[in-house]
Amino acid sequence: MQTITRIADLRDVVTDWRLGRQSIAFVPTMGNLHLGHASLMAAAHLHGRRVISSIFVNPLQFGPSEDFSAYPRTPDDDGNLLREYGVDALFQPTVEEMYPQGSAGSTVIDVPGLTDVLCGAFRPGHFQGVATVVVKLLCLVQPDVAIFGEKDYQQLTVIRRVVQDLNLPVTIVGAPTVRAEDGLALSSRNRYLSAQERAMAPSIYRALDQARRRLEAGETAYASIEAEGLASIGAAGITPDFFEIRTAARLERPTELDVHLVVLAAGRLGKARLIDNLQCTAPVRE
Ligand code: AMP
């Protein structure tokens, strides 16, 4: 595996691959890799002759009171995992390489509507930062396919929209969420949890699963399902940010005629902010 830190070197590698007509699949990450990331690398091999990943903790997507400096950085373990998963190249730039004008002075990508709801309401500027770095990375890597986890469902939806709106020549593929045996979605931020908090954390998945069952049984009392979800997360000791039912394609509030739904939840537990979601298909109504 080649590890590349400079944009100029990345361009050389990508140009060689493209001249050789080798398709490229790309998996952007912030590092501290776990089996959720590994599943994305495995998916990438199904979509590209060459697989490239990036590790970049993007300052633009962290709020002033968030964990940018404390975000776990484990480059040696990450390199081993990427090699194990047959990744051809790792792009690991510095902040200065990505934002030579400084992160505050850079051009940004704004996605109206989608970015100020759900997580965006609690993390102002977060999705602008995500959209900006993803567009920059897509311009640099020029992949045929880029893989993102459904774990970050709103992020995936924002990226699909950006790619559509800006006519970027890349196919976005969503990969299923990888979970621990007790249902907790794997996340780099789970390492912030104490043993006691770790035992409480799966309640977010259980609440989502209960909501999914009610929706798949044909219930349309969305407010009541959301209230039950909020209450059960709260009762388990998690401070909920939201528990909402949305349309799977556009993250809009559903009507009774919508069939493809997603239930999304976020909450704070100790030093961690947990997010999770489950998609479901409601029965078709005549
Ligand atoms: P991150 O390093 O947390 O920014 O995540 C990098 C990519 O991995 C994103 O596309 C995430 O959605 C995805 N990802 C993170 N956790 C999981 C998981 N448990 N299952 C599947 N994909 C994941």
Side-chain angles (χ1 to χ4, degrees), residues 43-85:
H45 283 293
L46 303 176
H47 291 278
R49 164 73 182 77
R50 293 293 188 175
V51 172
I52 177 166
S53 185
S54 62
I55 295 181
F56 181 62
V57 185
N58 173 35
L60 231 59
Q61 69 189 69
F62 288 78
S65 59
E66 294 183 356
D67 55 346
F68 174 69
S69 317
Y71 195 83
R73 290 161 171 89
T74 50
D76 294 344
D77 290 351
D78 292 350
N80 291 337
L81 183 137
L82 292 175
R83 266 184 286 275
E84 194 182 319
Y85 277 79

Side-chain angles (χ1 to χ4, degrees), residues 28-31 34 36-37 40 71 148-149 151-152 155 176-178 186:
T29 81
M30 297 205 300
H34 49 66
H37 298 109
L40 270 49
Y71 195 83
F148 292 86
K151 151 85 172 33
D152 299 283
Q155 168 173 287
T177 303
V178 177
L186 300 189

